[in-house]
Amino acid sequence: MGERPVRNPLGIALKSNRATMADVAKLAGVSRQLVGFVFQGKSGYSPEAAARVHKAAKQLGYRPNLAAQSLRRDTTKIIGVVFDPRESSPLEIIQSLYKVSAKNGYEVILSAIADDRDEDEAIHELIGYRCEGLILIASRLPTEKLTLLASEIPFISVGRQLDSSIADSVCSDGAKGLELVVDCLASKGHTDIAYINATSMLHSEVRLSGFLNATLRHGLPQQVIEIEGDYTEESGAIAADILLKKDLMPTAVACSNDQQALGLISALRVAGISVPSQISVAGYDDSRVAGFSFLSLTTVHQDAEELAEMALNRLIERISDQSLVPSVLLSPVSLVMRKSVVAKSL
Amino acid sequence: MGERPVRNPLGIALKSNRATMADVAKLAGVSRQLVGFVFQGKSGYSPEAAARVHKAAKQLGYRPNLAAQSLRRDTTKIIGVVFDPRESSPLEIIQSLYKVSAKNGYEVILSAIADDRDEDEAIHELIGYRCEGLILIASRLPTEKLTLLASEIPFISVGRQLDSSIADSVCSDGAKGLELVVDCLASKGHTDIAYINATSMLHSEVRLSGFLNATLRHGLPQQVIEIEGDYTEESGAIAADILLKKDLMPTAVACSNDQQALGLISALRVAGISVPSQISVAGYDDSRVAGFSFLSLTTVHQDAEELAEMALNRLIERISDQSLVPSVLLSPVSLVMRKSVVAKSL
DNA sequence: ACAGAACACTAGCACGTGCTAGTATTTTAG
DNA sequence: CTAAAATACTAGCACGTGCTAGTGTTCTGT
């Protein structure tokens, strides 16, 4: 049952004998086309026929062949997502992307970057599946390659802000986020506030500008700790070392992201500095770590679902009208107050 | 150029005008079949023809349509991978899976679990792509569903040990790992060792048995802290609370995994307990966090690449011979000594 | 010089599905 | 009561590729 003729000269049945529409149709006693209509939710068949089709499909364990669908359809309805599993922030966005895509009738195919698999390769795989558009999460591709890619396929950069001469990008409003942080710290009486700037990160400039704006507005000194590293726990630990060597430590520190804050706080605690009683620390991202009871990090919240929604909606717009002028979209941010920031002790 | 007739009655060109083999063939002045041979690396053409094909393909930006390939091939050469981006351990395995798959001529398709997308759905998508086999990372499916799935498609469970009446599984040798940890702690003079057992995790029993074996062997008291939670930082923090309430704290603690150890250590430090000078802590997984300078966690190392290789090799075996008797594979483990474990202070 | 093999290529069907265009049968409208 | 319209289906091509079976042309060995 369910067997199909095998053309293989060796007589070995290579093809999996998974049921096709034709098998379902045969069992249900209808034409293959009707099975297709039923599965596409179109009209043009009786409830009885539909019931028989569903029953037969269930009995045979039928699943539509997505490759065949994508091949035949005028539009594949597939969005490709490139991400780096070594980074934690993309993961929350992926969650939301599935949700938002389903709502818009799109399928998602993920393509990860790995040690011996660069972004180019990940992208080419997705193009191989004839994705209608790509979402590049925290892309590190040089701008020239992005420009080239934009001429080949619609895409949007998430988390990395691009010059609008290149392509669409969405990220959280980093400048605004850091202004919120500084406002909060200032309102708690802090006047000696340091910002940890990891220069090798792509949106470091935007966040730095927010810090500088806010401190200027409050008439505070602008103390920036430059780190060559990236947004990892380790760079936070390095920043802690620098702080510890100072004669006078700031009373509050704004970090570039939550992971950095975790590293900073942990390293300070190892050195015997208590957070928050001796020094207040704020993060950025409101990632999973921020909620940990032992951190309870005051941080800038970016709604992953809203970010995903903005990205996908814009991408869908672009797919239907490739002549759109690229733009930078900023998703709104808010401050989540937790326990890592307290009023300055006198 | 590159345009193809559009059958759409509205006259809207829905199909992307991405080049096909036929386009390449036309430009190169050869037949479509020859283009196929060239791309499949088969013999049967002259170097000159191949050069023209490659040139034309590059000029047109040709990429093979993976959907068409998968549809037409007798064997799709696709392995499906189900993972939960909310967990950190799968991510290192995914990295390795790409590498190992490529070596064996398989394509990988990822399918993530999300809030409103359960494991069933993730699996069905992969079946839709006609994967030849599945790799379920840290699956939480009930055993009945797994048994049913095994009759439908070859798969292997990674990180969750299954009864060999169900299906293949690979995980690190958890019992051995904890024996290594206890041996190490005992050799440093620790006699009062606690194990944090997160009961809701799937392989907790195996690791616990290793702890019990080793402590028995060393003639040590068997102090197990039962936590209802999972292997997260938060459950480590909960364990820390329990420890802190004790009259006499153990001098060493073995955790179920690194994340838990991070939570435990952080919570202890907040409470003013110094790690490792007052209490030694060991983890499990040798994940990214273990190497952080402020943790420097002694932990059990599982080679993600070896795990991936074992899983894929076994899966490929099963694909070619579905009658294999399921087995449990244990990947070797080793202890990575860092600074979170020190000799017991007198 | 001639058969056979090796080479360089082309023809045409098939994979499983979506789409448009049909064909009966039943229902509705005037 | 007849024509038109709606319903419930079926027929057949097409998507881009892989595979087997060809067809000519050039090389080999005797």
Short mmCIF file of all heavy atoms in Angstrom, two decimals, chain A residues 14 20 29 50 69 72 74 91 93 169 175 178 183 221 264 275-276 298 307 309 322 333:
data_model
loop_
_atom_site.label_atom_id
_atom_site.label_comp_id
_atom_site.label_asym_id
_atom_site.label_seq_id
_atom_site.Cartn_x
_atom_site.Cartn_y
_atom_site.Cartn_z
N LEU A 14 14.55 3.55 -3.58
CA LEU A 14 15.21 4.68 -2.95
C LEU A 14 14.20 5.70 -2.45
O LEU A 14 14.32 6.23 -1.37
CB LEU A 14 16.17 5.34 -3.94
CG LEU A 14 17.45 4.58 -4.25
CD1 LEU A 14 18.23 5.28 -5.31
CD2 LEU A 14 18.28 4.40 -3.00
N THR A 20 1.53 10.86 -1.47
CA THR A 20 1.37 12.08 -2.24
C THR A 20 -0.11 12.39 -2.37
O THR A 20 -0.95 11.59 -1.97
CB THR A 20 1.96 11.93 -3.65
OG1 THR A 20 1.14 11.01 -4.39
CG2 THR A 20 3.38 11.39 -3.59
N GLY A 29 -11.15 8.36 -3.33
CA GLY A 29 -12.03 8.19 -4.49
C GLY A 29 -12.38 9.48 -5.18
O GLY A 29 -13.49 9.66 -5.68
N ALA A 50 -14.72 16.54 1.10
CA ALA A 50 -13.65 17.07 1.95
C ALA A 50 -13.38 16.14 3.12
O ALA A 50 -12.22 15.87 3.47
CB ALA A 50 -14.03 18.46 2.45
N GLN A 69 5.58 22.40 -3.66
CA GLN A 69 4.76 23.61 -3.58
C GLN A 69 5.58 24.82 -3.98
O GLN A 69 5.15 25.64 -4.79
CB GLN A 69 4.27 23.81 -2.15
CG GLN A 69 3.18 22.84 -1.73
CD GLN A 69 2.62 23.18 -0.36
OE1 GLN A 69 3.28 23.84 0.45
NE2 GLN A 69 1.40 22.73 -0.10
N ARG A 72 6.28 25.00 -7.68
CA ARG A 72 5.17 25.25 -8.58
C ARG A 72 4.53 26.63 -8.41
O ARG A 72 4.04 27.22 -9.36
CB ARG A 72 4.11 24.16 -8.37
CG ARG A 72 3.00 24.22 -9.39
CD ARG A 72 3.61 24.21 -10.79
NE ARG A 72 2.64 24.43 -11.83
CZ ARG A 72 2.24 25.62 -12.26
NH1 ARG A 72 2.74 26.70 -11.70
NH2 ARG A 72 1.37 25.72 -13.23
N ASP A 74 3.66 30.51 -7.96
CA ASP A 74 4.20 31.70 -8.58
C ASP A 74 5.05 32.46 -7.57
O ASP A 74 5.96 33.19 -7.92
CB ASP A 74 3.07 32.59 -9.09
CG ASP A 74 2.40 31.98 -10.30
OD1 ASP A 74 3.08 31.26 -11.05
OD2 ASP A 74 1.20 32.20 -10.50
N LEU A 91 18.18 35.14 19.02
CA LEU A 91 17.31 34.02 19.30
C LEU A 91 15.91 34.46 19.69
O LEU A 91 14.92 33.81 19.34
CB LEU A 91 17.95 33.16 20.38
CG LEU A 91 19.35 32.72 19.95
CD1 LEU A 91 20.03 31.96 21.06
CD2 LEU A 91 19.26 31.88 18.69
N ILE A 93 14.49 37.10 18.66
CA ILE A 93 13.84 37.64 17.46
C ILE A 93 13.30 36.49 16.60
O ILE A 93 12.22 36.59 16.03
CB ILE A 93 14.83 38.50 16.66
CG1 ILE A 93 15.28 39.68 17.53
CG2 ILE A 93 14.19 39.00 15.38
CD1 ILE A 93 16.38 40.49 16.92
N SER A 169 16.86 48.79 7.15
CA SER A 169 17.33 48.21 8.40
C SER A 169 16.38 48.59 9.53
O SER A 169 15.73 49.62 9.49
CB SER A 169 18.76 48.66 8.72
OG SER A 169 18.88 50.06 8.68
N ALA A 175 19.92 55.36 20.59
CA ALA A 175 20.21 56.67 21.16
C ALA A 175 19.18 56.99 22.24
O ALA A 175 19.52 57.39 23.36
CB ALA A 175 20.19 57.73 20.07
N LEU A 178 19.70 54.93 25.45
CA LEU A 178 20.72 55.39 26.40
C LEU A 178 20.34 56.69 27.06
O LEU A 178 20.74 56.97 28.19
CB LEU A 178 22.09 55.45 25.74
CG LEU A 178 22.75 54.13 26.13
CD1 LEU A 178 23.44 53.45 25.03
CD2 LEU A 178 23.62 54.34 27.36
N ASP A 183 18.89 59.44 31.96
CA ASP A 183 17.83 60.17 32.68
C ASP A 183 17.52 59.49 34.00
O ASP A 183 17.38 60.15 35.04
CB ASP A 183 16.55 60.23 31.83
CG ASP A 183 16.69 61.19 30.65
OD1 ASP A 183 17.71 61.93 30.62
OD2 ASP A 183 15.81 61.19 29.77
N PRO A 221 29.52 65.33 33.51
CA PRO A 221 30.76 64.96 32.83
C PRO A 221 30.55 63.75 31.93
O PRO A 221 29.71 62.90 32.23
CB PRO A 221 31.72 64.64 33.98
CG PRO A 221 30.85 64.32 35.13
CD PRO A 221 29.62 65.16 34.96
N LEU A 264 30.44 42.67 33.71
CA LEU A 264 30.93 43.77 34.54
C LEU A 264 30.56 43.55 36.01
O LEU A 264 31.41 43.62 36.90
CB LEU A 264 30.32 45.09 34.05
CG LEU A 264 30.72 46.34 34.82
CD1 LEU A 264 31.95 46.97 34.19
CD2 LEU A 264 29.59 47.36 34.86
N VAL A 275 27.23 45.40 43.99
CA VAL A 275 26.27 46.03 43.07
C VAL A 275 24.89 45.65 43.57
O VAL A 275 24.62 44.46 43.82
CB VAL A 275 26.47 45.50 41.63
CG1 VAL A 275 25.40 46.06 40.71
CG2 VAL A 275 27.87 45.82 41.12
N PRO A 276 24.01 46.60 43.79
CA PRO A 276 24.08 48.01 43.43
C PRO A 276 24.51 48.93 44.58
O PRO A 276 24.61 50.13 44.34
CB PRO A 276 22.62 48.31 43.07
CG PRO A 276 21.84 47.42 43.99
CD PRO A 276 22.67 46.20 44.21
N THR A 298 18.48 46.62 35.65
CA THR A 298 17.76 47.72 35.02
C THR A 298 18.30 47.85 33.60
O THR A 298 19.50 47.95 33.40
CB THR A 298 17.95 49.03 35.80
OG1 THR A 298 17.26 48.91 37.06
CG2 THR A 298 17.41 50.21 35.03
N LEU A 307 9.87 44.42 16.93
CA LEU A 307 11.00 44.51 16.01
C LEU A 307 10.78 43.55 14.84
O LEU A 307 10.92 43.92 13.68
CB LEU A 307 12.29 44.13 16.75
CG LEU A 307 13.60 44.63 16.18
CD1 LEU A 307 13.70 46.13 16.39
CD2 LEU A 307 14.77 43.95 16.85
N GLU A 309 8.02 42.32 13.80
CA GLU A 309 6.87 42.75 13.01
C GLU A 309 7.25 43.89 12.07
O GLU A 309 6.88 43.88 10.89
CB GLU A 309 5.73 43.18 13.94
CG GLU A 309 4.42 43.40 13.23
CD GLU A 309 3.25 42.88 14.06
OE1 GLU A 309 3.44 42.67 15.28
OE2 GLU A 309 2.17 42.68 13.47
N GLN A 322 9.93 46.73 -5.24
CA GLN A 322 11.36 46.78 -5.05
C GLN A 322 11.95 48.17 -5.24
O GLN A 322 13.11 48.41 -4.96
CB GLN A 322 12.06 45.80 -6.01
CG GLN A 322 11.51 44.41 -5.92
CD GLN A 322 12.61 43.36 -5.89
OE1 GLN A 322 13.77 43.66 -5.65
NE2 GLN A 322 12.23 42.12 -6.13
N VAL A 333 11.70 51.97 22.39
CA VAL A 333 12.33 51.32 23.54
C VAL A 333 11.72 51.87 24.83
O VAL A 333 11.10 52.93 24.83
CB VAL A 333 13.85 51.57 23.57
CG1 VAL A 333 14.53 50.91 22.40
CG2 VAL A 333 14.14 53.07 23.58
#
